[in-house]
């Protein structure tokens, strides 16, 4: 069996809905929810509550709540979204309401674009690429270079120009309830900016038409793709809440193999890298995906950043990286992990702590099928720590760290160098999570 790769691939709180009449009276076209702690609030202007994870630290996370009318947009096409986002360096507060599903693989006129559209004029073809870098002739000691690799990179750049949406600081991107709001085939890039809110959206089918072959990745090489559904790179104060992430409709089981390795067109779902910091990930659903959440893009990232809180999420049909944490201080609590194989996505592990990461995992619930091994729920490189408490496996309190360490040669450390204090919403027990999270997580819950 090939060794798994740990490289960075190239490439509500529960709400009570008020009546429609009250919505109209309160905010016109806005959406109002009633929060048990905060009272009645406009969904588009809602800010992260105090002490709700790392993103509430310091100045907190407010997104575009101060946006004026000129910077409040409702969009339903790719071109409208690009216009609403504006320049990635413009810090003017803005609210972007996404109505319906935006297909990122369309041109400015709304015409559908395909992989062939992006490859056109570059000289790239998969058959020529496979012939050029066949390990039997090209070897396995170096990355592809030359004509076909340049053509692949050019085609990939054309796709990136179309499907990567750069989010500026002080922005809220929120799905309009009742419209199946989301982005298909695209990536929200939150890079080197502060104060962003992403809520109530379904991210699906984020696919790289032009994965790169890396014969040096792992024991037998790997195909690496280049787009996450949402990617944080050097970002601070980000709140990702009530979203759904999925590979659907193209699942990994449909991927072909070349050179004996899966031709992987999906990268991360929600990756937090390049010294991003002060992030809260709450009440999302992650499903039908392999490399789901990467915290820290390399083992050499500097310390002091990558502080992330992950709570009240559902992870179902996830192979790995739920999350994979490096370097930072990560609080993982009140999550539901269903590690039953789903649509061919078979769990390798849920949480991986490596590169001296300091993880606190408490009051999480794992649903493990008959024959499943508790020792496989965690992973590590021998330098990372996981302090676990109150975690349940099929309803029974279980020391998942001890179970892993009993079977592992590279053991997890069991003490950490910090104590979580930003813990609003932390529940006293995980026992009810399978029931409560079923109706309070993911897109389309906020109304």
């Amino acid at each position: 069996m090939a060794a798994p790769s740990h490289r960075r691939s190239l490439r509500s709180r529960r709400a009570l809905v008020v009546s429609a009449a009250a919505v109209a009276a309160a905010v016109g076209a806005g959406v109002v929810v009633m929060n048990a702690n905060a009272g009645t609030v406009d969904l588009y202007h809602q800010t992260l509550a105090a002490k709700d994870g790392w993103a509430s630290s310091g100045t907190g996370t407010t997104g575009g709540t101060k946006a004026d009318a000129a910077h409040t947009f409702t969009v339903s096409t790719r071109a409208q979204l690009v216009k609403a986002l504006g320049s990635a360096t413009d810090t003017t507060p803005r609210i972007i309401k996404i109505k319906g599903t935006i297909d990122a693989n369309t041109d400015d006129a709304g015409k559908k674009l395909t992989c062939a559209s992006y490859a056109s004029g570059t000289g790239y073809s998969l058959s020529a690429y496979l012939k050029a870098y066949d390990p039997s002739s090209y070897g396995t000691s170096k990355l592809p270079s030359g004509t076909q690799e340049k053509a692949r990179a050019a085609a990939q750049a054309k796709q990136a120009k179309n499907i990567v949406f750069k989010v500026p600081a002080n922005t809220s991107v929120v799905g309009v309830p009742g419209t199946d709001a989301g982005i298909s085939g695209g990536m929200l890039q939150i890079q080197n900016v502060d104060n962003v809110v992403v809520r109530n959206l379904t991210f699906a089918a984020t696919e790289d038409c032009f994965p790169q072959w890396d014969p040096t990745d792992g024991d037998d090489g790997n195909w690496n793709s280049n787009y996450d559904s949402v990617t944080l790179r050097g970002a601070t104060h980000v709140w990702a809440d009530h979203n759904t992430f999925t590979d659907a409709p193209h699942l990994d089981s449909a991927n072909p193999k070349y050179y004996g390795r899966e031709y992987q067109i999906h990268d991360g779902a929600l990756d937090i890298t390049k010294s991003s910091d002060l992030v809260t990930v709450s009440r999302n659903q992650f499903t039908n995906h392999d490399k789901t959440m990467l915290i820290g893009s390399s083992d050499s990232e500097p310390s002091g950043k990558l502080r992330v809180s992950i709570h009240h999420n559902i992870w179902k049909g996830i192979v790995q990286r739920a999350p994979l944490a490096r370097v930072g201080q990560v609080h993982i609590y009140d999550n539901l992990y269903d590690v039953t194989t789903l649509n061919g996505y078979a769990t390798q592990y849920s949480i991986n702590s490596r590169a001296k990461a300091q993880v606190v995992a408490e009051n999480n619930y794992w649903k493990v099928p008959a024959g499943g091994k508790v020792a496989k729920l965690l992973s590590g490189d021998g330098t990372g720590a996981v302090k676990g408490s109150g975690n349940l496996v099929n309803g029974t309190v279980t020391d998942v760290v001890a179970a892993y360490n009993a079977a592992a040669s590279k053991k997890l450390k069991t003490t950490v160098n910090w104590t979580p204090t930003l813990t609003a919403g932390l529940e006293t027990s995980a026992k009810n999570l399978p029931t409560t999270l079923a109706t309070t997580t993911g897109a389309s819950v906020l109304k």
Side-chain angles (χ1 to χ4, degrees):
M1 173 183 259
S5 167
H6 293 300
R7 294 187 183 186
R8 176 73 169 96
S9 297
L10 295 178
R11 33 93 213 95
S12 54
R13 296 160 303 267
R14 196 178 307 173
L16 301 174
V17 182
V18 302
S19 69
V23 171
V27 290
V31 175
V32 174
V33 297
M34 183 170 290
N35 183 277
N37 297 316
T40 302
V41 293
D42 173 0
L43 174 63
Y44 302 117
H45 292 83
Q46 189 172 6
T47 62
L48 181 64
K51 296 188 177 181
D52 189 347
W54 275 116
S56 67
S57 181
T59 57
T61 301
T62 60
T65 191
K66 294 182 180 180
D68 59 19
H71 293 90
T72 301
F73 310 89
T74 299
V75 302
S76 57
T77 68
R78 174 194 161 275
Q80 290 172 349
L81 176 59
V82 170
K83 184 177 180 180
L85 287 167
S87 169
T89 61
D90 184 354
T91 62
T92 306
R94 70 193 63 220
I95 292 173
I96 301 174
K97 309 173 186 179
I98 294 183
K99 186 176 182 180
T101 301
I102 291 176
D103 186 347
N105 288 294
T106 52
D107 65 15
D108 288 346
K111 179 182 177 182
K112 180 67 179 176
L113 298 176
T114 65
C115 294
S117 305
Y118 300 126
S120 178
T122 67
Y124 172 84
S125 77
L126 178 59
S127 60
Y129 190 89
L130 292 173
K131 182 178 180 180
Y133 306 112
D134 189 326
S136 64
S137 55
Y138 185 79
T140 60
S141 62
K142 60 181 180 178
L143 283 168
S145 63
T147 301
Q148 268 302 300
E149 173 55 23
K150 289 179 180 178
R152 184 205 65 80
Q156 190 178 67
K158 285 180 66 176
Q159 184 182 15
K161 186 177 180 180
N162 212 76
I163 71 169
V164 176
F165 303 105
K166 298 180 180 180
V167 182
N170 305 316
T171 297
S172 293
V173 185
V174 183
V176 176
T179 68
D180 294 324
I183 298 175
S184 174
M187 177 172 85
L188 286 187
Q189 179 176 296
I190 307 170
Q191 181 167 331
N192 298 328
V193 297
D194 180 69
N195 194 30
V196 173
V197 173
V198 180
R199 304 184 76 199
N200 205 39
L201 295 167
T202 294
F203 295 94
T206 305
E207 299 168 5
D208 187 347
C209 288
F210 312 102
Q212 184 187 38
W213 170 244
D214 183 354
T216 71
D217 187 354
D219 292 341
D220 299 312
N222 276 302
W223 291 95
N224 289 321
S225 56
N226 205 40
Y227 310 111
D228 311 319
S229 293
V230 177
T231 189
L232 279 59
R233 302 172 183 173
T236 53
H237 289 108
V238 178
W239 180 29
D241 175 73
H242 278 99
N243 302 294
T244 296
F245 297 84
T246 178
D247 288 350
H250 181 108
L251 306 179
D252 280 354
S253 57
N255 290 340
K257 287 186 176 182
Y258 300 117
Y259 309 149
R261 303 295 289 159
E262 180 183 351
Y263 189 69
Q264 180 57 267
I265 62 174
H266 302 116
D267 194 9
L270 170 56
D271 279 6
I272 303 165
T273 62
K274 304 293 183 182
S275 294
S276 291
D277 198 24
L278 304 177
V279 179
T280 296
V281 180
S282 59
R283 297 193 181 276
N284 302 280
Q285 289 195 13
F286 298 92
T287 185
N288 294 314
H289 196 80
D290 184 355
K291 297 175 288 186
T292 305
M293 181 183 293
L294 185 63
I295 300 175
S297 48
S298 75
D299 289 358
S300 60
E301 287 208 31
S303 61
K305 301 291 182 69
L306 297 171
R307 292 173 290 181
V308 182
S309 298
I310 302 167
H311 70 81
H312 293 92
N313 302 283
I314 290 180
W315 312 76
K316 186 175 183 179
I318 297 303
V319 177
Q320 57 181 316
R321 302 185 182 181
L324 185 157
R326 292 181 166 108
V327 179
Q329 296 174 333
V330 182
H331 194 196
I332 305 171
Y333 61 97
D334 293 332
N335 294 277
L336 172 63
Y337 293 92
D338 187 341
V339 299
T340 306
T341 298
L342 177 67
N343 296 321
Y345 292 90
T347 300
Q348 293 179 6
Y349 65 83
S350 298
I351 300 170
N352 184 315
S353 179
R354 58 191 297 110
K356 299 182 180 179
Q358 304 289 300
V359 175
V360 177
E362 57 183 325
N363 295 5
N364 299 291
Y365 192 112
W366 273 270
K367 294 177 68 174
V368 178
K373 296 182 178 180
V374 177
K376 297 292 187 180
L377 301 180
L378 305 182
S379 185
D381 66 347
T383 72
V386 177
K387 181 181 179 181
S389 65
N391 296 301
L392 305 185
V393 175
N394 297 335
T396 300
V397 176
T398 304
D399 189 337
V400 292
V401 181
Y404 169 80
N405 281 343
S409 58
K410 295 182 178 180
K411 301 185 187 303
L412 290 164
K413 300 182 185 304
T414 58
T415 59
V416 296
N417 62 9
W418 70 294
T419 300
T421 58
L422 303 172
T423 56
L426 176 61
E427 301 185 34
T428 57
S429 172
K431 66 179 181 180
N432 293 325
L433 291 178
T435 300
T436 60
L437 295 187
T439 57
T440 60
T441 58
S444 301
V445 170
L446 301 175
K447 300 185 185 299

